[in-house]
Amino acid sequence: MYLSFKDLDHEQFYEGNLRMTRSQQDPYRKALFYLLGSTPQTRQHIRDLYDFDESCIRLSSLEQGWQTSSTMKLTRLAFNLFNGYTGDIEAGQDHPRNYSPYHLFDTSLMPYFFEAVKLRYAEYARSLEQPYLPFTPMNVEADFHEANEMEA
């Protein structure tokens, strides 16, 4: 599957974290690192977002001051694709409505959000790819002459 990256830093972050965590075949971490690599802020704060020793996300990062409205949306979707997290209203941590498409996709990062969904659900996204349709180039000159002969 072809992936669209925002820039070279995004691609290097994604590839490097997959190699470091040995998760090249893990659709959960592929989606997570793809999203978390799409902004300079989330790349800079990756250790606030992900615990490499425990191989898990850090929910406390949702409450940190460096988060912007766009990085919050990105982080919420990344966490949701990683393990289905949708906030915890009983614990007072984030409201589940913040994980709905209505609240998540209102950002210029939306094209990368779709790419992450395709990474996470690759087995279903394959059916969206257009099959290769072979075609034989027409001999335009021969067809032109043939058409003119028929008119005459």
Side-chain angles (χ1 to χ4, degrees), residues 57 75-86 99 120-121:
I57 56 175
T75 302
R76 285 178 178 131
L77 182 60
F79 286 6
N80 180 268
L81 292 174
F82 181 70
N83 70 358
Y85 184 74
T86 57
Y99 292 79
R120 169 60 184 84
Y121 298 102

Side-chain angles (χ1 to χ4, degrees), residues 35 69-70 72-78 80-81 97-118 121:
L35 282 172
S69 62
S70 291
M72 281 294 288
K73 292 172 185 183
L74 180 151
T75 302
R76 285 178 178 131
L77 182 60
N80 180 268
L81 292 174
R97 76 172 166 257
N98 293 329
Y99 292 79
S100 71
Y102 180 81
H103 290 281
L104 285 177
F105 291 99
D106 183 20
T107 176
S108 63
L109 295 169
M110 187 176 67
Y112 306 105
F113 288 12
F114 287 135
E115 290 290 314
V117 170
K118 290 190 315 189
Y121 298 102

Side-chain angles (χ1 to χ4, degrees), residues 22-55:
R22 294 185 176 99
S23 52
Q24 291 92 337
Q25 303 305 315
D26 179 352
Y28 302 92
R29 283 180 179 77
K30 286 172 108 173
L32 178 78
F33 291 129
Y34 179 83
L35 282 172
L36 297 180
S38 62
T39 69
Q41 295 90 344
T42 50
R43 288 193 298 266
Q44 180 181 352
H45 292 277
I46 186 60
R47 298 209 178 272
D48 295 333
L49 294 157
Y50 187 77
D51 184 332
F52 287 91
D53 295 329
E54 299 293 324
S55 298

